[in-house]
Amino acid sequence: MSTMTTSRRSFLRALVAVAGSAAVAYRPSALASLVGGKGSMDTTDADYVFVVDIDRCIGCGKCVQACSVENHVPAGHFRTWVERYVRTAEGTWIDSPDGAINSFPPLAEDVTAAAKETTFVPKLCNQCDNAPCVQVCPVGATFKAPGGFVLIDPEHCMGCSYCIQACPFGVRFLNPATHMADKCDWCYHRVSNGLQPACATVCPTGARAFGDRNKPEGTVAEALEEDRWRILKPGMHAHNRVLYRRLPREVI
Ligand code: SF4
Ligand code: SF4
């Protein structure tokens, strides 16, 4: 619930309008500082998507652990996490203890007895093409990069948190160590060096697949061919690049 005054809201609206029109271009220098290593992979002509196959996720949390280590994610914060949805006749039970970094504890006996179906749903930044976070950043520090990545320029982020409030998917947080916005960037530093995102690399069941829509392979190719994927919150018209296969309707 917001306690903002009307004048502050008007100010923010004006700011958003200005930022929305300005935050189109990206700074090549920002890309260079985020690449790491030699940046051997040219992502300019790529059209990356991330496919999450719900049927394959077992909720082991290895992806959350790998992301945390790879990206030095501060304790208590998550660039990716896994949610458990337990459908019962009375409704759906949802939990994600510590982002599922240590997997999930057994369900309470009464929930287990009532469960009709249990589903694990990995969440991460959707690298939206029509990203609200990009639109509200007053200094253009959050920007859309070639290949589809939404990145944060550490030289310009001032930690105002507008992007954190604007993201409809709750994937951003204020990093307590850097005092800047933080979120999943599909391991841009790895992809631009020819590697896969860390979470996709460690997933033991292949529930996470990353690839170029122009040269699809494996699960990405299957998902695109089948054309039976869904996205989170389609009503937001954010043009998500994370595609879910067999996503239950109750997932939000
Ligand atoms: S999921 Fe949120 S943080 Fe990621 S691009 Fe979309 S609006 Fe921005
Ligand atoms: S590593 Fe794979 S199977 Fe395990 S929780 Fe993550 S997505 Fe699911």
Side-chain angles (χ1 to χ4, degrees):
M1 184 178 293
S2 172
T3 54
M4 270 193 298
T5 61
T6 307
S7 59
R8 180 156 167 72
R9 267 205 196 94
S10 310
F11 168 72
L12 280 177
R13 246 186 249 121
L15 200 56
V16 167
V18 171
S21 58
V24 176
Y26 66 92
R27 300 182 183 90
S29 61
L31 286 186
S33 71
L34 291 165
V35 161
K38 293 184 199 143
S40 57
M41 187 86 173
D42 183 3
T43 62
T44 311
D45 296 325
D47 183 11
Y48 291 115
V49 290
F50 198 109
V51 173
V52 178
D53 191 335
I54 295 296
D55 276 0
R56 292 190 192 181
C57 182
I58 56 175
C60 65
K62 291 193 187 311
C63 50
V64 185
Q65 292 163 23
C67 172
S68 181
V69 171
E70 178 72 28
N71 296 296
H72 312 290
V73 180
H77 296 277
F78 304 97
R79 284 186 171 201
T80 186
W81 67 97
V82 183
E83 296 172 356
R84 173 169 62 180
Y85 287 69
V86 183
R87 193 162 56 79
T88 72
E90 285 77 41
T92 302
W93 164 285
I94 308 169
D95 70 347
S96 180
D98 289 329
I101 196 164
N102 296 310
S103 190
F104 290 86
L107 292 166
E109 276 182 23
D110 56 333
V111 180
T112 304
K116 290 184 179 305
E117 188 182 25
T118 299
T119 308
F120 298 101
V121 181
K123 299 266 182 90
L124 63 163
C125 175
N126 292 286
Q127 318 294 336
C128 312
D129 284 345
N130 186 28
C133 60
V134 172
Q135 291 161 16
V136 301
C137 180
V139 293
T142 279
F143 62 101
K144 191 79 182 163
F149 306 87
V150 172
L151 303 176
I152 301 168
D153 180 352
E155 296 295 319
H156 289 83
C157 177
M158 56 183 190
C160 68
S161 296
Y162 290 161
C163 58
I164 297 170
Q165 293 166 31
C167 172
F169 307 98
V171 308
R172 287 178 172 248
F173 60 92
L174 193 64
N175 187 313
T178 64
H179 306 289
M180 289 188 282
D182 202 327
K183 71 165 188 77
C184 159
D185 61 2
W186 284 351
C187 287
Y188 178 71
H189 62 290
R190 289 175 58 89
V191 176
S192 54
N193 283 286
L195 301 171
Q196 289 268 308
C199 61
T201 305
V202 300
C203 178
T205 61
R208 292 173 177 249
F210 172 82
D212 185 349
R213 211 192 303 241
N214 296 329
K215 301 174 204 159
E217 293 175 10
T219 306
V220 172
E222 285 169 30
L224 295 177
E225 255 172 44
E226 277 180 10
D227 208 23
R228 282 171 54 193
W229 43 267
R230 294 177 59 210
I231 59 171
L232 296 174
K233 300 188 181 186
M236 296 304 302
H237 303 291
H239 300 175
N240 317 20
R241 282 177 177 263
V242 176
L243 314 178
Y244 287 85
R245 297 175 88 187
R246 304 179 184 92
L247 188 72
R249 298 237 163 252
E250 64 265 30
V251 173
I252 48 176

